């Protein structure tokens, strides 16, 4: 019996118990959760992260209204692996069924909230497999979007695939809305979902495909970027298009009177792309990009906002990881995760009271590469060579100090080997996720 089946059996048994008379309790509404995931957005590509050439007022407003992380990480610099960890709270090596999707024994964030009585919706990019690994198979009541990595935003045909085909789905059925800009579909459906479910708790996963290629911003946004040149102009217009969609969702929460009781998280699934079709993003001072274990591939913008419940305009420099969101959001919503074997930790103390990170170290492994960060030290191993950087004095990882710090190299290598011994395997390759 899987963990999911076990929980369902226990829940059914509990419902069968005779009721006991008691004074009626005052119902406290559970908070809603809106999780906004952007696609290939660079580590510093918001004004609040230092970008001076981009127009991102709505994303910046979330930072003003909440807590912004400076040292937030994904578990992989690739779409699928990163998303698996986000949704399961686990290292993707444990949760990934090679070549297919999330292992059936895992409990996703959507399943967890669904079992707690939440209505669940996913709109946008999935990229974690078809049935039974599609959104319907992983706890989402509603889905409109595409299953594979990229689609044309107007024809909705797969952008890269061995077979060029129409890629849009409503649930498990093919869905056509030819000519409608896909990010507008995502935004419209997200607003419709939260409006229809305003009287009950909901978990809304808004998985934008921007600014992933093909970058096809509306002309009105390109006109705002006459100050930029080349790929940065198209990328910037795409980011500002994305920003407007996020603003529309936030406005809808306000209009429905839901903002005060809604937790909003915004983050990117990995660093900016250097693929020919998708250039233009930036990691600022950080080295690397998507597909790299240097900071630019795995350090991402991340913000949480919850009016009246968390500080506003605050910055947190503690380490956090996408795996932390399942236990953190569960705790914020008063839900118990003790039956789940999670790798993530609860960031509630970090967010509310600036307490230490729940992680003494963070680990990564992808194909033949691995990395570990402990405090300010970051060790990367690739093809038998090691690179050690002091991120405090050298955030751009420009200087390899491995030869000068053999004790630190040995310690971090030992910690990596201990982590691998917990059951981690290199099950993912660079070819598995564009």
């Amino acid at each position: 019996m899987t963990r999911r089946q076990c929980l369902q059996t226990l829940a059914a048994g509990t419902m069968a118990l005779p009721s006991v008379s008691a004074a009626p309790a005052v119902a406290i509404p559970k908070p809603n959760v809106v999780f906004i995931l952007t696609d290939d957005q660079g580590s510093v590509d918001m004004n609040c992260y230092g970008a001076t050439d981009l127009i991102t007022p709505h994303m910046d407003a979330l930072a003003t209204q909440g807590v912004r992380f400076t040292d937030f990480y994904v578990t992989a610099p690739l779409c699928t692996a990163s998303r698996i960890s986000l949704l399961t709270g686990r290292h993707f090596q444990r949760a990934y069924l090679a070549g297919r999707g999330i292992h059936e024994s895992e409990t996703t964030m959507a399943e967890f909230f669904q079992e707690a009585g939440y209505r669940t919706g996913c709109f946008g990019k999935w990229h974690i497999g078809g049935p039974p690994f599609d959104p319907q198979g992983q706890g989402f009541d509603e889905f409109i979007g595409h299953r594979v990595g990229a689609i044309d935003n107007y024809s909705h045909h797969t952008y890269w695939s061995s077979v060029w085909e129409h890629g849009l789905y409503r649930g498990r059925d093919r869905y056509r809305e030819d000519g409608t800009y896909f990010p507008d579909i995502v935004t419209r459906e997200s607003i419709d979902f939260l409006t229809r479910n305003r009287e009950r708790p909901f978990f809304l996963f808004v998985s934008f495909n921007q600014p992933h290629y093909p970058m096809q911003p509306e002309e009105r946004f390109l006109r705002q970027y006459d100050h930029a040149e080349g790929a940065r102009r198209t990328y910037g217009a795409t980011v500002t298009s994305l920003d407007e969609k996020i603003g529309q969702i936030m406005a809808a929460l306000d209009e429905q009177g839901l903002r005060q009781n809604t937790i909003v998280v915004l983050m990117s699934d990995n660093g900016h792309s250097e693929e020919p079709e998708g250039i233009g993003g930036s990691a600022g001072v950080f080295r690397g990009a998507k597909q790299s274990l240097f900071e630019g591939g795995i350090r991402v913008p991340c913000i949480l906002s919850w009016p009246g419940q968390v500080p506003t305009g605050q910055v947190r420099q503690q380490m956090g990881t996408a795996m932390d969101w399942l236990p953190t959001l569960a705790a914020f919503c008063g839900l118990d995760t003790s039956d789940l074997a999670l790798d993530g930790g609860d960031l509630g103390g970090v967010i509310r009271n600036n307490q230490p990170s729940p992680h003494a170290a963070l680990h990564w492994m992808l194909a033949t590469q691995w990395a570990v960060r402990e405090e300010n030290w970051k060790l990367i191993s690739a093809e038998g060579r090691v690179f050690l950087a002091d991120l405090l004095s050298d955030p751009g990882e420009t200087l390899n100090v491995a030869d000068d710090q053999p004790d630190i190299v040995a310690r971090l290598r030992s910690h990596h080997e201990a982590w691998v011994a917990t059951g981690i395997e290199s099950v993912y390759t660079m070819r598995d996720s564009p």
Side-chain angles (χ1 to χ4, degrees), residues 384-404:
R385 294 174 291 180
V386 296
F387 186 102
L388 179 69
D390 178 352
L391 294 178
L392 184 62
S393 62
D394 182 23
E397 295 171 292
T398 62
L399 181 64
N400 186 359
V401 296
D403 290 342
D404 299 327

Side-chain angles (χ1 to χ4, degrees), residues 62 65 250 253-254 257-264 305-307:
L62 279 172
Q65 299 161 5
M250 298 308 299
L253 287 172
D254 284 331
L258 296 171
R259 185 66 184 96
Q260 293 296 119
N261 196 44
T262 301
I263 304 165
V264 178
S305 176
W306 188 13

Side-chain angles (χ1 to χ4, degrees), residues 125-200:
K125 173 177 175 174
W126 179 242
H127 202 33
I128 315 178
F133 306 100
D134 59 342
Q136 268 69 27
Q138 299 298 335
F140 286 103
D141 297 309
E142 301 180 32
F143 169 66
I144 290 183
H146 59 99
R147 297 172 179 168
V148 297
I151 60 169
D152 181 273
N153 285 294
Y154 292 98
S155 72
H156 310 144
H157 279 71
T158 53
Y159 189 74
W160 58 266
S161 178
S162 57
V163 178
W164 192 70
E165 61 182 357
H166 193 267
L168 204 57
Y169 288 83
R170 179 187 289 272
R172 287 177 170 167
D173 298 325
R174 297 279 186 176
Y175 174 67
R176 300 199 75 99
E177 198 173 333
D178 298 4
T180 304
Y181 192 49
F182 181 63
D184 284 337
I185 295 175
V186 174
T187 305
R188 182 196 69 208
E189 295 299 324
S190 297
I191 292 172
D192 177 65
F193 175 86
L194 68 88
T195 301
R196 286 187 286 105
N197 292 287
R198 62 184 176 274
E199 300 296 334
R200 62 179 297 180

Side-chain angles (χ1 to χ4, degrees), residues 194-326:
L194 68 88
T195 301
R196 286 187 286 105
N197 292 287
R198 62 184 176 274
E199 300 296 334
R200 62 179 297 180
F202 58 80
F203 170 63
L204 170 59
F205 185 45
V206 188
S207 182
F208 282 108
N209 65 331
Q210 294 172 302
H212 191 290
Y213 62 82
M215 284 185 275
Q216 299 167 310
E218 301 100 311
E219 180 64 31
R220 59 195 171 98
F221 294 115
L222 280 169
R223 289 195 293 269
Q224 297 182 39
Y225 279 86
D226 290 340
H227 61 277
E229 297 180 355
R232 187 66 172 175
R233 180 171 184 259
T234 305
Y235 177 88
T238 304
V239 170
T240 299
S241 172
L242 166 67
D243 184 79
E244 182 192 67
K245 315 307 178 196
I246 292 171
Q248 291 170 352
I249 293 171
M250 298 308 299
L253 287 172
D254 284 331
E255 290 167 5
Q256 296 299 325
L258 296 171
R259 185 66 184 96
Q260 293 296 119
N261 196 44
T262 301
I263 304 165
V264 178
V265 180
L266 168 65
M267 63 171 281
S268 177
D269 67 343
N270 47 244
H272 69 285
S273 174
E274 291 187 338
E275 299 156 284
E277 309 96 324
I279 59 175
S282 174
V285 301
F286 303 118
R287 178 177 178 179
K290 181 180 177 179
Q291 301 189 14
S292 167
L293 291 183
F294 285 107
E295 293 290 284
I298 55 177
R299 186 189 292 226
V300 296
C302 186
I303 298 166
L304 179 137
S305 176
W306 188 13
Q309 299 295 326
V310 303
T312 58
Q314 297 290 302
V315 176
R316 298 291 183 257
Q317 296 178 319
Q318 296 90 325
M319 290 190 301
T321 169
M323 296 183 296
D324 297 335
W325 284 127
L326 199 164

